Amino acid sequence: MTSSITDASGETSQTRKFLLLVIGSVGVVYGDIGTSPLYAFREALRPFATDGIQETEVIGLISLMVWTLTIIVTFKYVLFLLRADNDGEGGTLSLLALLMKKTGNYMPVLFFAGLIGAALFIGDAMITPALSVMSALEGLKLVTPAFSDYVLPLSILLMIALFTVQSKGTAAVSKFFGPITVVWFLVMAWGGLIHIGDDWKILEALNPLNALWFVTHAGAMGFIVLGAVFLTVTGAEALYADLGHFGRRPIQLAWFIIVFPALMLNYLGQGALVLTHPEAAENPFYLMYPEWALLPIVILATMATIIASQAVITGAFSLARQAVHLGFLPRLMIKFTSETNTGQIYVPAVNMLLFIGVIILILSFRSSESLATAYGISVTGAMVVTTLMAFQFLRSVWRYSVWTAGALLVVLFIVEVTFLAANLLKIHDGGWVPVALAIAIMLLMWTWTKGSRYIKEKTAKNDIPLETFIAMIERESAHAPVKVPGTAVFLTSVPDRTPAVLLHNIKHNHVLHEQNVILTIWTKDKPYIPDSERVKITKLSKRFMRLDITFGFMDEPNVTKALGLCRKAGFKFEIMQTSFYLGRRNLISTPHTGLPRWQEALYMALADFGIDPSAYFKLPPNRVVEIGEQVAI
C-alpha cells in the first residue's frame, strides 16, 4: 500500500514538473513567434490596400500564413530539427559542433554556414526587441491619438530598462514568463474566435490550394508580399536554440495544444474581420477586440513583447558562450546569474552590443511598419542555413543517402529560398541592415578563428617537445635550476610541447618547483561533460605530470572547481602553495604575415578585447603569475 502511494506521488511530481516545463517553454521558446500576429498580416495586406482589398487576396494570404506555420514550424522545427540535437542541445552552433565531430575533418562550407547562421541569429536578436515593442505600443494610438508622440520615447525607455536588468538575472522574472504568455495566447485565440463567424469563407484558407493559387495568380505583388508573410514564423529558430533548456517533448506539446491553435485562430479571425470590414486592414490585430478591452490588450501585448525580447537576448547570450567555447570568439566575461540553472547567464559585451543596435534601429526606423521591411532577411537567411546543415545531419548522423536526404528537404528548401528571394527585394528599404550586421559578426568570428589557428601554427614551429625538455632538465648539472617547494601549474594549449611560460620562468627566475603540472583545458563538441570524465592525470616523471581538464561547450569553465576532483584521482596539492603560470602575449604587427592587413588589425583588436584567462577560467587571483612574451603576427 505504501509503495503504491509513493509511486502515485512520484508520478504526480513528474507530471507537475513536465507541465511546468510546457508552460515555461510557452514563455521562453514561443515568446517571439507569439508576437508575430501584431504585425504580420497587417504588413502583408499593405501593398493591396491602395486599389482595394479583394476577398481572394485575404483568403490567399491567410492560407499562406497558416501553411507556412505548418510546413516550416511544425514539420521542420517541431517534428524534425528538435530530434537533431547534440546531446540534448540545439541551435546553429550546437549543430555545427555535432557535424564537425561526425565528419571528423574541417569543412569550410559547413564552417561558414554555421557562422552565417549564428551571425543572422544575433541580427535577429537586435531587430526582434525593437520591432515587437514598437508594434505593441503602437496600439496606444487606437486608444487615443494623443498617445502617438509617446510611442518612440516609451519604446526607448522600455529597452533601457530591459537591457539594464539583464545583469541582475532573470530567475525571479522568468517564472512569470510562461503564465503571462499562456494568457497572451489564450487572448489571441479569443480574439480570433469572436470574429471567425464574421465571414465563414475564411475557413477556405485551411485548403492549401488557396495558398498555391495566391502565389501563382498574384503576380509580382504576390511575390513581394511573401516577405511579409514570412513574418509569421519569426522566432522559429528559438525553438531549436532553446532545446536544451526544456527538452523536446515539452516544446512539442506546447506547440500542438497551445501555440499553434492560438496562432491559427487569431490569423483566421483577422482575415474574417478584414473580409467584412476592409478598413480594419490598418491594424487588424487590435481592431479585433472590443473598445473596452483595448488598453488591457495593449498592456498585455507590451508584456508579451518584452518577454519575446528577453527570450532572444537570452538566446544571444547562450550563442555567444558556445562561440567562445568553440573558439569562434575571444574569451568574453560570462556571469552566471543563477546558482542552480547554468543556462541563466549574462554576457556584458553582448548585452551592450545588442542594446546599442536596438536603440539605433528604433531611432533610425521610428515605426514598426518601417522596421518590418528589414526583418525578414535575417530570419529567412538563418532558416536556409539551418536547412542546409540539416541535409548534412541526415547524411552524417542518420546515415541517409544523398538522394533520400535531398528528397526529404527539397520542398522545404525551395519554399525557404523563395521567401528569402522575396525578402531580398527589401534590401533598399532597410533590408541591408540585418545583412550588414550578419556580415560584420561573421567576419569577427572568421577572423578570430583564422588568426588563432595561424598563431598556433606559427608558435608551434619553435616549440620544444615536452619529453625532450623533461629529460634535459632533470639531468643533474651545475646549470640545473634551483629546486623550490610547492606546485607550479603551467597552462598550455599544446600538451606535448613545452609551455613557453615554463621556459621563460626558468630563463628569468632560474627555479623549478618540486611538483610541476602541465595543464591543458579542452572544450569538447558535447554540451556537458560529467565530473567522472572531467580530469585526466598522466605521470610524466618524478617532478612532472600532465593534467587534462575537459569542459563541454555549455559548461562553466571553472578550473579551480575542477581541480578539486584531482584529489580523488591521486593528485595531492595545497592550493595556497600552488602557483598558476600564464603567458600574456603581446602581438606585434610585421610586414610579412599570413593574414591580410585588415584582418591582422582586426584580430589584434579582438585579442585586446578578450578578458584575462585567469578570470575566464576562475583561477585563484592571488595565486596567478603572468609572464609576458612578444609574438610577431
Side-chain angles (χ1 to χ4, degrees):
M1 182 70 178
T2 305
S3 176
S4 61
I5 292 174
T6 304
D7 291 343
S9 175
E11 288 181 12
T12 302
S13 177
Q14 290 298 321
T15 302
R16 184 174 179 274
K17 289 180 181 178
F18 181 77
L19 290 176
L20 287 175
L21 286 173
V22 172
I23 294 172
S25 70
V26 173
V28 176
V29 176
Y30 296 110
D32 191 1
I33 201 170
T35 61
S36 296
L38 284 167
Y39 48 79
F41 187 49
R42 180 194 70 195
E43 295 304 316
L45 281 174
R46 200 174 297 281
F48 298 105
T50 53
D51 58 350
I53 299 172
Q54 304 298 316
E55 177 183 287
T56 53
E57 294 168 345
V58 172
I59 295 174
L61 279 173
I62 295 297
S63 184
L64 263 177
M65 290 179 167
V66 167
W67 285 99
T68 299
L69 282 169
T70 303
I71 294 171
I72 293 180
V73 182
T74 304
F75 289 123
K76 176 184 175 180
Y77 285 94
V78 176
L79 296 178
F80 168 47
L81 274 182
L82 288 184
R83 297 179 180 274
D85 65 295
N86 187 353
D87 289 334
E89 288 293 328
T92 305
L93 290 185
S94 182
L95 182 58
L96 174 61
L98 174 64
L99 294 179
M100 291 176 72
K101 178 173 64 177
K102 290 294 183 180
T103 55
N105 58 348
Y106 177 73
M107 299 177 64
V109 174
L110 193 62
F111 171 74
F112 279 106
L115 292 193
I116 292 169
L120 287 168
F121 184 86
I122 296 293
D124 183 19
M126 286 186 186
I127 298 176
T128 292
L131 175 60
S132 300
V133 170
M134 281 199 292
S135 296
L137 290 175
E138 282 167 356
L140 292 171
K141 298 178 183 178
L142 301 177
V143 177
T144 170
F147 283 139
S148 299
D149 295 335
Y150 296 98
V151 171
L152 202 64
L154 279 176
S155 299
I156 293 174
L157 286 174
L158 277 175
M159 290 299 100
I160 292 173
L162 178 64
F163 283 98
T164 299
V165 301
Q166 295 302 315
S167 60
K168 308 298 181 184
T170 57
V173 183
S174 61
K175 64 180 65 175
F176 299 106
F177 283 5
I180 290 172
T181 313
V182 168
V183 172
W184 169 246
F185 278 110
L186 293 176
V187 167
M188 284 200 295
W190 168 59
L193 279 171
I194 60 178
H195 282 287
I196 287 178
D198 290 356
D199 193 329
W200 291 106
K201 284 186 178 179
I202 196 62
L203 293 180
E204 294 178 15
L206 298 177
N207 185 347
L209 293 178
N210 283 299
L212 290 174
W213 183 92
F214 178 84
V215 172
T216 54
H217 289 77
M221 188 66 72
F223 186 72
I224 291 171
V225 300
L226 283 180
V229 170
F230 204 82
L231 294 174
T232 56
V233 294
T234 56
E237 282 289 312
L239 274 170
Y240 192 33
D242 290 321
L243 173 60
H245 293 283
F246 298 97
R248 184 173 71 246
R249 288 186 62 226
I251 294 175
Q252 289 176 328
L253 188 63
W255 173 254
F256 285 113
I257 68 171
I258 300 174
V259 180
F260 192 32
L263 291 174
M264 290 261 289
L265 289 170
N266 191 270
Y267 284 123
L268 289 170
Q270 288 191 49
L273 174 65
V274 173
L275 283 177
T276 52
H277 302 283
E279 68 277 6
E282 176 191 355
N283 202 325
F285 179 85
Y286 281 117
L287 293 174
M288 280 196 300
Y289 297 95
E291 191 173 338
W292 61 265
L294 200 53
L295 187 57
I297 296 295
V298 171
I299 294 172
L300 181 61
T302 304
M303 294 171 68
T305 55
I306 290 172
I307 292 171
S309 302
Q310 178 63 60
V312 293
I313 292 169
T314 303
F317 289 164
S318 296
L319 185 142
R321 177 169 68 169
Q322 292 181 28
V324 169
H325 287 353
L326 294 171
F328 299 154
L329 286 174
R331 298 185 188 101
L332 301 174
M333 175 64 73
I334 298 175
K335 296 182 178 180
F336 290 78
T337 58
S338 171
E339 295 181 359
T340 57
N341 188 348
T342 58
Q344 292 184 12
I345 58 174
Y346 169 61
V347 186
V350 175
N351 192 63
M352 181 57 68
L353 174 69
L354 293 179
F355 172 69
I356 293 172
V358 167
I359 296 300
I360 290 174
L361 287 172
I362 291 175
L363 293 176
S364 300
F365 288 90
R366 304 185 72 82
S367 72
S368 64
E369 176 189 343
S370 301
L371 189 54
T373 61
Y375 196 20
I377 293 178
S378 60
V379 181
T380 50
M383 288 186 177
V384 170
V385 167
T386 307
T387 301
L388 291 173
M389 296 176 73
F391 173 78
Q392 187 62 37
F393 173 86
L394 289 175
R395 295 190 59 208
S396 303
V397 182
W398 287 1
R399 302 297 180 185
Y400 286 15
S401 68
V402 173
W403 296 108
T404 304
L408 289 172
L409 295 176
V410 65
V411 173
L412 180 65
F413 182 72
I414 291 172
V415 169
E416 290 180 343
V417 168
T418 304
F419 277 119
L420 178 60
N423 276 289
L424 287 174
L425 295 176
K426 303 174 182 177
I427 284 285
H428 64 285
D429 289 327
W432 60 270
V433 173
V435 174
L437 286 172
I439 290 173
I441 295 167
M442 190 198 73
L443 284 177
L444 288 178
M445 291 192 286
W446 176 45
T447 297
W448 182 255
T449 306
K450 183 180 178 182
S452 299
R453 186 181 294 117
Y454 170 74
I455 290 291
K456 187 175 182 179
E457 291 172 354
K458 184 172 182 178
T459 54
K461 295 177 182 177
N462 301 320
D463 287 344
I464 302 172
L466 183 59
E467 186 178 342
T468 303
F469 170 80
I470 293 174
M472 179 180 64
I473 205 70
E474 292 198 335
R475 291 195 198 104
E476 295 295 337
S477 70
H479 301 289
V482 177
K483 181 179 179 180
V484 294
T487 300
V489 179
F490 299 94
L491 272 72
T492 179
S493 60
V494 188
D496 59 344
R497 299 285 170 172
T498 308
V501 67
L502 170 56
L503 296 174
H504 286 304
N505 183 50
I506 292 176
K507 177 181 177 182
H508 295 290
N509 298 325
H510 309 290
V511 298
L512 189 66
H513 288 69
E514 61 182 355
Q515 188 169 234
N516 299 276
V517 180
I518 309 300
L519 171 60
T520 304
I521 300 168
W522 304 95
T523 300
K524 289 291 186 182
D525 294 331
K526 297 172 64 175
Y528 300 100
I529 300 294
D531 285 348
S532 59
E533 302 174 17
R534 179 80 66 205
V535 299
K536 178 184 177 183
I537 299 174
T538 306
K539 190 75 173 178
L540 300 177
S541 72
K542 185 178 179 181
R543 296 170 65 184
F544 282 86
M545 68 176 61
R546 173 178 164 182
L547 173 59
D548 295 281
I549 298 180
T550 306
F551 297 104
F553 62 80
M554 293 294 287
D555 279 322
E556 178 190 10
N558 192 325
V559 171
T560 302
K561 185 178 179 181
L563 286 173
L565 302 171
C566 294
R567 298 180 185 277
K568 297 179 181 178
F571 174 31
K572 307 295 183 182
F573 70 99
E574 292 295 332
I575 194 68
M576 296 312 295
Q577 294 181 10
T578 301
S579 298
F580 295 85
Y581 286 84
L582 303 179
R584 179 176 288 277
R585 284 176 176 166
N586 181 29
L587 301 178
I588 302 173
S589 178
T590 57
H592 305 289
T593 178
L595 300 175
R597 183 63 60 186
W598 67 268
Q599 208 164 30
E600 176 190 301
L602 181 56
Y603 178 79
M604 293 174 69
L606 287 171
D608 292 336
F609 186 74
I611 68 167
D612 189 278
S614 62
Y616 182 78
F617 291 121
K618 309 294 189 297
L619 299 177
N622 59 339
R623 305 303 306 168
V624 175
V625 178
E626 291 190 350
I627 299 178
E629 62 172 325
Q630 292 187 338
V631 177
I633 185 172

